[in-house]
Amino acid sequence: KLLCSITAQPTFNFQLSTFNFLVLSLRPIMRRFLLTYILLVIVGQLAIQAQVNPNNPYDDRIDEFGNIVDQYGNQIDPAMRPQNPDSSNVEIQGLPPKLYMWHISENLGTVTRTPADTLRLNFQNTNLTEGMTGHYNYLSNMGAPRISRIFFDRDATQEPTIFMQPYSFFFIRPNEFNFTNSNVPYTNLTYYKAGSKVNGEERFKAYFSVNANKQLAFGFNIDYLYGRGYYNHSSTSFFNAAPFISYMGERYEGTLLYSYNYLKNNENGGITDDNYVKDPEAVSGGQQSYESINMPTVMSTATSRNSDSYVFLAQRYKLGFHRDLPQEENDTLPPVQEFVPVTSFIHTMQVEWSKHKFTSEDQLKDYYQNTYIKPGVPYIVDDSTSYIGVKNTLGISLLEGFNKYAKAGLTGFISHKLSKYELMNKDSVSIDRYTENEVFVGGELSKRQGSILHYHAIGEVGLLGKAIGQFNVKGDLDLNFRLGKDTVSLIARATVSNTLPSFYMRHYHSKHFYWDDDNMDKEFRTRIEGELNIEHWKTNLKAGVENIKNYTYFNQQALPEQFGGNIQVLSATLSQDFKLGILHLDNEVTWQKSSNSTILPLPDLSLYHNLYIDFKLAKKVLSVQLGADARYFTKYHAPAYMPATGQFHLQPTNDQVEIGGYPIVNVYANLHLKRTRFFVMMYHVNDGLINRPNAFYAPHYPINPRLLKFGVSWNFYD
């Protein structure tokens, strides 16, 4: 049924088969057949598509309404026409697909167009937990908790809870979700595979969208990840289901999204001795190397479970008028009118509920400093906390461009958020409940039309409840101009904020970690960034500086703490791509400096280099990318990880180690044929070829050994 491009199955049957295929794929026994099934399908599709004659044998005629007609004026259904009239093989062509995707902002529901997910180059990096260019430290296994080494990439909001933030590889917010509008049903199936059934990893993603008419669309996203792990007790099992519906009319726009997420992560606390990687002979009495599965780990029964669900609604109603579009002087057809919005009324709502749970029965000695709940049974850990929040935003906007004097859009809004939390109590029986209210008022000024100058500024200030004294203002401006035959963009960004640390930085109760601090100061941040982009030269240069007062972090004891002074961070990133015929070299170099490396440690340099050849085969319909890329960062005292809280923190004073100074090299082949993308990659190909004294992505968490990865992504437009 997946070969719908060469069979005339109805759309409804295809949707049911996709759903059934998805459900079956979640069963462990079916994962064995999934790889073989997809490989057979892709081989068949490649064979068929490679024989397609790109020249159209028909002399198409178009009537005044744009319909394809025969020589007698009768309309032709392109889906029923054979590709080659002299052949008995029929290929379903269907209507030419037209689709666009967009993101939507969480506060005001602003729609921003985004390119469809048809990335051709570097598709092999899309499923790497360390990120496309290796910016993240993480705990070896796919989907494991991670933190960016690039400070300007870190999210300071810690929303919705600090427990979900380390899972940004898998868990996405409403403003990151791809909504789709298309003239034909659109489906994407993506499958990633690495290693064996004993310690390998798999991920299956399905995305579907269909329009009932030009305005109304609905669909769903399914994402299932399962990483068995190359180190003991490090498996990950994540699941996401997200149905959505949208209506994009000329007066009314509405988007509704429901996202369910369940993330289970086994915690091993890292290996017991780094010498199993650095100097295996020292711990084995002469053995030169250890397999990853034979390296003992700190924990063997601990598990973190996080569930998060949210409902997001964004809607706006526009008032305006109709006007005639310009016509040619000799045009006799009736004038065509367009709707010009003047004012819009905005409402967004988000309801979210989340739960964090950590369990363990490991008999650890001197691992935790304190035991607060049931001290008589120190080895049995059953921590949990829950959160529910409801946020509503109302706004009114005067839209840009309704006449020649309206050079910018202006919006005013007010928001209210109600948050409720449940924490454990020291008596191990009762529940501690907390309620917080926040009311903000704000405004937005934006100019998005035109091709030369754009700007956007938005700010809000706390009015009632916990919001009093808080504010957040940010803006950006870009200037675009021609320089010879090239396009140059100059971009400036600035942010000023004064925000209260998140609830879980002020309150948390568990067996071994227990804190309450309502006297924390607000964190004051200012950031200024500049960016230069030269399209023809493939040059992008970004530089910025941020100052932080009352920086809030997890200290050497994995407890929240504030630094009352100021910390400055300087950062600059240069991206420069070179091309000589089919040979390409893409480069990214990031330099950053922290004024207090004890409180805020950062690597001085982070590098990414990608050397490849890019060419086409089979009458230029098969794109091929062959190459190798490398990631590298300088040595530094990277944040350690505490399984009991799921947070990265400063390394303990009695356990200071450096990571970095070690390259990670991957070799890959990346192919793209019409609707199909496929890659094969040897990950960490340099494993064992050079010394591995610092082959860690986090303290005591070694990098995965060399393994073969592949992936396939297939788009369907019918």
Side-chain angles (χ1 to χ4, degrees):
K1 294 181 181 178
L2 288 175
L3 291 176
C4 61
S5 60
I6 56 170
T7 58
Q9 295 292 333
T11 302
F12 182 71
N13 288 341
F14 171 69
Q15 297 168 15
L16 288 179
S17 63
T18 303
F19 178 78
N20 292 334
F21 176 70
L22 169 65
V23 174
L24 290 174
S25 68
L26 299 182
R27 300 176 183 173
I29 192 172
M30 291 303 296
R31 287 196 295 267
R32 301 179 182 179
F33 303 103
L34 185 58
L35 171 60
T36 305
Y37 187 66
I38 290 182
L39 285 177
L40 290 175
V41 169
I42 192 172
V43 169
Q45 180 71 356
L46 292 175
I48 292 170
Q49 293 183 355
Q51 301 177 29
V52 171
N53 181 7
N55 299 319
N56 184 6
Y58 294 91
D59 181 18
D60 288 336
R61 294 171 172 81
I62 309 297
D63 65 10
E64 59 179 322
F65 302 105
N67 299 317
I68 300 177
V69 297
D70 61 17
Q71 57 181 328
Y72 304 108
N74 300 315
Q75 184 176 341
I76 298 174
D77 181 1
M80 299 305 297
R81 180 196 299 158
Q83 173 74 13
N84 185 348
D86 297 327
S87 172
S88 59
N89 296 323
V90 177
E91 179 178 5
I92 300 303
Q93 295 294 322
L95 296 174
K98 298 178 181 179
L99 69 117
Y100 64 91
M101 291 184 175
W102 72 88
H103 291 161
I104 190 165
S105 64
E106 293 187 45
N107 54 351
L108 294 176
T110 303
V111 172
T112 304
R113 294 286 185 95
T114 184
D117 182 20
T118 56
L119 178 71
R120 181 178 70 83
L121 295 177
N122 303 321
F123 174 54
Q124 75 282 351
N125 291 343
T126 55
N127 198 47
L128 296 179
T129 307
E130 58 263 49
M132 291 288 291
T133 55
H135 285 180
Y136 288 85
N137 290 351
Y138 75 110
L139 312 184
S140 303
N141 198 17
M142 178 179 64
R146 68 178 189 175
I147 184 173
S148 179
R149 293 189 300 273
I150 311 302
F151 179 76
F152 278 23
D153 287 349
R154 296 181 184 176
D155 183 6
T157 60
Q158 297 180 331
E159 293 288 352
T161 69
I162 62 173
F163 305 110
M164 296 301 296
Q165 192 170 15
Y167 297 96
S168 60
F169 170 73
F170 184 85
F171 177 70
I172 64 172
R173 307 300 298 151
N175 63 336
E176 299 172 303
F177 189 85
N178 287 330
F179 298 94
T180 303
N181 191 296
S182 61
N183 65 332
V184 294
Y186 168 71
T187 304
N188 174 265
L189 300 178
T190 302
Y191 178 71
Y192 301 96
K193 169 73 175 179
S196 67
K197 63 181 181 180
V198 176
N199 49 21
E201 56 191 41
E202 294 176 272
R203 188 177 187 183
F204 177 73
K205 301 169 67 176
Y207 181 92
F208 173 75
S209 176
V210 64
N211 272 56
N213 51 46
K214 291 184 178 180
Q215 295 80 29
L216 181 62
F218 57 89
F220 62 84
N221 181 76
I222 298 290
D223 194 351
Y224 175 69
L225 175 155
Y226 182 48
R228 298 169 180 85
Y230 275 78
Y231 299 91
N232 290 319
H233 202 67
S234 63
S235 65
T236 53
S237 179
F238 302 162
F239 178 74
N240 165 260
F244 68 89
I245 184 170
S246 65
Y247 183 89
M248 308 299 289
E250 69 175 17
R251 290 189 179 273
Y252 176 79
E253 295 180 1
T255 303
L256 179 64
L257 170 67
Y258 167 69
S259 180
Y260 167 79
N261 298 271
Y262 179 77
L263 294 79
K264 178 184 177 183
N265 179 49
N266 285 341
E267 307 275 9
N268 65 16
I271 59 177
T272 57
D273 191 335
D274 289 354
N275 283 325
Y276 286 107
V277 175
K278 293 182 176 182
D279 188 10
E281 293 184 4
V283 293
S284 66
Q287 185 171 330
Q288 295 183 351
S289 64
Y290 268 86
E291 290 188 12
S292 59
I293 200 67
N294 294 327
M295 297 180 186
T297 56
V298 175
M299 299 178 177
S300 60
T301 66
T303 301
S304 292
R305 292 176 174 85
N306 290 280
S307 61
D308 187 283
S309 299
Y310 60 79
V311 176
F312 175 72
L313 170 67
Q315 52 186 345
R316 83 172 51 212
Y317 184 79
K318 293 172 284 189
L319 301 177
F321 60 91
H322 288 86
R323 66 183 175 191
D324 294 340
L325 291 174
Q327 291 180 286
E328 300 291 340
E329 293 184 2
N330 57 353
D331 195 344
T332 59
L333 294 176
V336 178
Q337 290 192 325
E338 67 171 353
F339 177 71
V340 182
V342 177
T343 302
S344 64
F345 299 93
I346 303 165
H347 172 235
T348 64
M349 180 185 70
Q350 184 165 328
V351 181
E352 187 160 9
W353 54 102
S354 181
K355 186 173 183 179
H356 169 75
K357 189 176 182 65
F358 174 78
T359 59
S360 173
E361 296 183 3
D362 291 295
Q363 298 187 18
L364 304 176
K365 185 178 180 181
D366 300 328
Y367 189 79
Y368 301 109
Q369 294 185 355
N370 300 288
T371 301
Y372 298 98
I373 300 176
K374 292 185 178 181
V377 283
Y379 301 133
I380 306 299
V381 182
D382 189 11
D383 299 338
S384 65
T385 180
S386 62
Y387 153 80
I388 183 169
V390 180
K391 182 178 180 180
N392 280 277
T393 302
L394 296 174
I396 183 170
S397 176
L398 187 64
L399 300 177
E400 171 189 359
F402 68 89
N403 65 40
K404 62 180 180 180
Y405 300 107
K407 299 297 185 181
L410 182 63
T411 303
F413 62 89
I414 183 171
S415 67
H416 170 260
K417 184 177 182 181
L418 172 65
S419 302
K420 293 187 175 183
Y421 305 87
E422 291 188 351
L423 299 177
M424 303 169 64
N425 188 278
K426 287 184 179 180
D427 63 15
S428 73
V429 177
S430 59
I431 300 296
D432 293 334
R433 293 179 171 85
Y434 298 77
T435 300
E436 294 186 348
N437 283 277
E438 297 173 290
V439 176
F440 284 89
V441 294
E444 180 187 52
L445 178 68
S446 63
K447 181 183 184 300
R448 298 183 174 92
Q449 298 179 9
S451 59
I452 299 178
L453 177 66
H454 309 97
Y455 54 83
H456 172 254
I458 185 170
E460 60 181 3
V461 59
L463 196 64
L464 295 172
K466 283 290 184 180
I468 293 177
Q470 298 191 66
F471 63 84
N472 187 4
V473 180
K474 58 183 177 181
D476 58 79
L477 179 148
D478 66 89
L479 177 65
N480 308 276
F481 57 91
R482 299 288 295 178
L483 183 63
K485 296 182 180 180
D486 205 354
T487 300
V488 178
S489 298
L490 296 174
I491 305 170
R493 304 182 185 92
T495 303
V496 181
S497 64
N498 192 50
T499 56
L500 191 67
S502 67
F503 174 85
Y504 284 108
M505 296 295 285
R506 293 177 278 122
H507 302 278
Y508 183 59
H509 302 169
S510 68
K511 188 177 189 71
H512 297 295
F513 293 91
Y514 206 103
W515 62 78
D516 286 292
D517 188 355
D518 274 323
N519 297 317
M520 274 192 169
D521 294 321
K522 295 179 178 63
E523 195 176 70
F524 183 74
R525 292 176 176 241
T526 57
R527 177 187 293 188
I528 299 175
E529 290 181 274
E531 182 176 347
L532 169 66
N533 186 69
I534 305 177
E535 183 177 352
H536 183 69
W537 292 359
K538 302 296 183 183
T539 301
N540 182 271
L541 175 63
K542 293 187 292 186
V545 58
E546 180 164 348
N547 182 81
I548 311 169
K549 181 177 175 56
N550 299 324
Y551 176 64
T552 310
Y553 62 99
F554 284 96
N555 62 19
Q556 289 87 348
Q557 292 77 41
L559 298 171
E561 187 172 329
Q562 282 191 315
F563 177 71
N566 291 285
I567 297 179
Q568 291 83 34
V569 178
L570 295 173
S571 178
T573 298
L574 173 63
S575 298
Q576 179 64 67
D577 301 342
F578 299 100
K579 177 183 177 183
L580 180 62
I582 64 173
L583 182 64
H584 296 252
L585 176 61
D586 298 348
N587 307 275
E588 181 187 88
V589 179
T590 298
W591 172 86
Q592 54 187 354
K593 193 68 176 179
S594 168
S595 63
N596 191 329
S597 58
T598 302
I599 302 298
L600 181 54
L602 299 170
D604 290 338
L605 284 176
S606 292
L607 310 178
Y608 175 76
H609 303 285
N610 187 10
L611 178 65
Y612 61 93
I613 56 175
D614 183 25
F615 56 94
K616 293 183 179 294
L617 295 174
K619 298 184 179 180
K620 296 185 177 182
V621 297
L622 175 63
S623 299
V624 180
Q625 180 190 14
L626 303 175
D629 62 2
R631 298 151 182 80
Y632 177 89
F633 59 94
T634 53
K635 294 181 180 180
Y636 78 116
H637 291 91
Y641 177 75
M642 170 50 66
T645 59
Q647 302 302 304
F648 289 90
H649 63 95
L650 297 181
Q651 296 185 30
T653 53
N654 61 347
D655 186 22
Q656 292 282 309
V657 297
E658 283 188 326
I659 66 169
Y662 177 82
I664 307 295
V665 181
N666 304 331
V667 177
Y668 63 88
N670 198 0
L671 297 90
H672 180 260
L673 178 60
K674 291 191 174 181
R675 304 176 181 181
T676 308
R677 293 172 289 171
F678 181 80
F679 78 85
V680 177
M681 175 173 66
M682 184 60 74
Y683 177 82
H684 197 182
V685 69
N686 56 310
D687 179 33
L689 302 180
I690 59 177
N691 291 332
R692 300 183 61 193
N694 290 294
F696 295 82
Y697 262 146
H700 312 308
Y701 287 88
I703 300 171
N704 273 342
R706 182 191 305 118
L707 69 154
L708 183 68
K709 299 189 176 190
F710 77 88
V712 60
S713 181
W714 209 326
N715 291 326
F716 299 92
Y717 300 100
D718 41 28

